[in-house]
Amino acid sequence: MIGNLNHVGVATPSIEDSVKLYRDMLGATSIGETFAMEEQGVWVCFVNLPNSQIELIEPYGETSPIRAFLEKNPKGGQHHVCFEVEDIEAARDALVAKGATVLNGGKPRIGAHGVPVIFVHPKDMGGVLVELMNRPEGKH
Ligand code: CO
């Protein structure tokens, strides 16, 4: 059911500091602008790699859902992995039928790439928070 790994989500207390790591330590040359996703309570910045992306996420606002993660992991850390699927609703239905817990009541939301996404609870995925996203238009 899953296709390409689209990105790895990395929570950080400072996107600015994390960008320095990916740029200066690892030599990443293509790094996008930082933008706010108010409804999700995060600042987002993509580090572009030849075959994937790192999605840097920093809390936006006091009620950001990643604040709790950063309390447990003050330096930040790997937060989720995101795979592309052909049909987000079919993927959601298949997962629910297999007993998985899909966050947000199973309702897809528009993610940082502008396409619908869902998250599968880590308790059903060996401790890994899994994001599934509709494959972006025109990408194969
Ligand atoms: Co993501």
Side-chain angles (χ1 to χ4, degrees), residues 36-104:
M37 294 195 66
E38 271 186 69
E39 279 182 31
Q40 273 79 335
V42 287
W43 292 99
V44 177
C45 174
F46 285 107
V47 178
N48 301 307
L49 310 175
N51 68 336
S52 193
Q53 292 177 308
I54 302 297
E55 179 187 41
L56 299 172
I57 47 180
E58 178 185 325
Y60 178 105
E62 289 308 309
T63 58
S64 174
I66 64 165
R67 284 206 183 276
F69 181 92
L70 287 175
E71 271 165 33
K72 286 185 221 148
N73 308 274
K75 292 184 170 176
Q78 187 192 316
H79 183 263
H80 65 270
V81 293
C82 179
F83 302 105
E84 297 175 3
V85 296
E86 292 292 329
D87 180 335
I88 196 77
E89 285 172 357
R92 184 262 330 269
D93 292 346
L95 282 160
V96 170
K98 291 173 193 171
T101 302
V102 179
L103 303 186
N104 197 35

Side-chain angles (χ1 to χ4, degrees), residues 2 81 83 95 100-101 120-130:
I2 57 172
V81 293
F83 302 105
L95 282 160
T101 302
V120 185
H121 198 290
K123 73 180 164 67
D124 301 321
M125 285 302 308
V128 178
L129 177 60
V130 172

